[in-house]
Amino acid sequence: MIKPVYEDNHLLVVVKPQGKLTQSDETGDLSLQDECKQYIKEKYNKPGEAFIGLVHRMDRPVGGLLVFARTSKAASRLSEQVRTHELCREYVCVCQGDAPDRFTLHDWLQKDEAANKVKVIPSYLKLQGKEAILHGRGVARRSGHSLVCIRLETGRAHQIRVQMNAIGTPVYGDMRYGGEKAKKGFLALWAHYLAFTHPVTKERLVFDVQPPKDLFPWTEFDLDALMRIVKPRA
C-alpha cells in the first residue's frame, strides 16, 4: 500500500518506487496510478473507481516524487502549471565522467516507438521531434563519477537520460543510454524535489525526499552532506 507524502481533497503526493509504472501500459503491470486509485477507494470507502488524474510522468526505472490530482479541476490547473513551468521538478543523479559545474542542455528529441528509445536529432529536423530543455550542475565528483542536480524545463520521455548521454556523461546504470551496468541493477536517477502552487488554496507546496542510499553503493559520496548543498528554489 502506498504511503502518501501529502494528501488532501484535491491532491495526492507520493514517492514512486523504481521499476514501477506511472500509468498502465501494454505490459498489464500494476501502475502507481492504479495503486493510488485503490488507496483512495479503500480509505474513503468510495463506490466505483476513484478519480486520480495524471499530471506528470516518470520513466519506469526512475523513482521519486509525483503529484496526482484527485479532482478534474485540480488536474487541469496542475497541468497548466506544468505547461508554464510553475510546477518545478528537480532530480539528483550519478553520471559517468565529469559533468560541468553548471550547464543548460537544449535539444530536439525524437522517439522510436517500436524500440522505446529516444535520440537527439539535429535542429534542422526539429519539426520531426520535440524540444527538450534542462538545467544542471555538477555538485561533486568521485572516482570517475559525478553527482549532478538537474532541473527540468520540459518533461519529455527519457529526457534526462538521453540528454546526459549526448554530452558524454550517461546516467550510471542506464545501459539503454550508454551507462555501465550497476552492481545492484539500479538506475541512479531520483526525482528528489517537487514544488507547485496548490490548485485551490494557492499555497506554495514544496517537497524534498532524499534518494535511497542503496542507489549509491558504488561511490564514495557522502550523500547526506551533498544533499544539504543542494538547495532548490521553491
Side-chain angles (χ1 to χ4, degrees):
M1 184 62 69
I2 65 168
K3 296 179 180 179
V5 176
Y6 176 88
E7 177 184 354
D8 64 18
N9 291 334
H10 313 281
L11 305 172
L12 188 63
V13 178
V14 297
V15 174
K16 185 181 94 64
Q18 288 183 292
K20 173 71 68 174
L21 288 169
T22 302
Q23 65 179 143
S24 298
D25 66 4
E26 66 279 359
T27 65
D29 294 341
L30 185 67
S31 71
L32 185 61
Q33 185 181 27
D34 292 333
E35 288 190 353
C36 289
K37 289 179 180 180
Q38 187 64 24
Y39 167 80
I40 294 297
K41 177 180 173 62
E42 292 180 1
K43 181 174 180 178
Y44 298 101
N45 196 27
K46 287 183 172 292
E49 185 176 80
F51 178 86
I52 289 291
L54 191 67
V55 176
H56 59 117
R57 295 170 177 82
M58 193 180 298
D59 294 345
R60 185 168 189 166
V62 182
L65 287 162
L66 273 172
V67 58
F68 290 99
R70 289 191 55 195
T71 68
S72 57
K73 179 184 289 187
S76 176
R77 291 177 177 177
L78 287 172
S79 295
E80 177 64 13
Q81 290 186 46
V82 173
R83 190 187 69 80
T84 60
H85 313 307
E86 187 179 350
L87 185 146
C88 298
R89 290 167 287 170
E90 194 161 287
Y91 292 71
V92 63
C93 65
V94 174
C95 296
Q96 295 164 219
D98 293 331
D101 290 338
R102 290 188 178 273
F103 58 96
T104 294
L105 303 182
H106 187 178
D107 296 301
W108 298 89
L109 305 184
Q110 185 181 62
K111 186 172 184 180
D112 181 340
E113 295 290 350
N116 191 28
K117 194 170 182 180
V118 179
K119 64 180 179 179
V120 174
I121 60 175
S123 59
Y124 64 82
L125 295 175
K126 64 184 182 182
L127 293 180
Q128 300 177 24
K130 294 183 177 180
E131 187 177 31
I133 303 172
L134 62 76
H135 310 282
R137 55 191 175 115
V139 178
R141 295 162 188 85
R142 302 282 192 280
S143 305
H145 296 90
S146 300
L147 186 70
V148 181
C149 192
I150 293 173
R151 179 176 290 258
L152 285 179
E153 189 167 318
T154 57
R156 308 304 183 193
H158 302 188
Q159 180 179 337
I160 294 174
R161 301 161 62 189
V162 68
Q163 285 190 285
M164 293 305 293
N165 182 42
I167 64 168
T169 54
V171 175
Y172 184 85
D174 191 4
M175 292 188 291
R176 182 184 292 265
Y177 293 104
E180 59 189 284
K181 184 177 181 179
K183 292 178 181 177
K184 293 189 177 181
F186 291 119
L187 183 70
L189 178 59
W190 182 263
H192 80 99
Y193 175 84
L194 179 67
F196 56 89
T197 300
H198 194 286
V200 177
T201 68
K202 306 307 178 186
E203 176 188 2
R204 190 66 176 170
L205 299 177
V206 178
F207 306 95
D208 200 339
V209 175
Q210 182 169 301
K213 291 186 178 180
D214 57 5
L215 278 175
F216 304 88
W218 27 260
T219 72
E220 300 172 1
F221 294 123
D222 180 349
L223 193 59
D224 292 326
L226 291 170
M227 291 301 292
R228 287 194 290 270
I229 295 173
V230 179
K231 297 180 180 178
R233 301 183 305 274

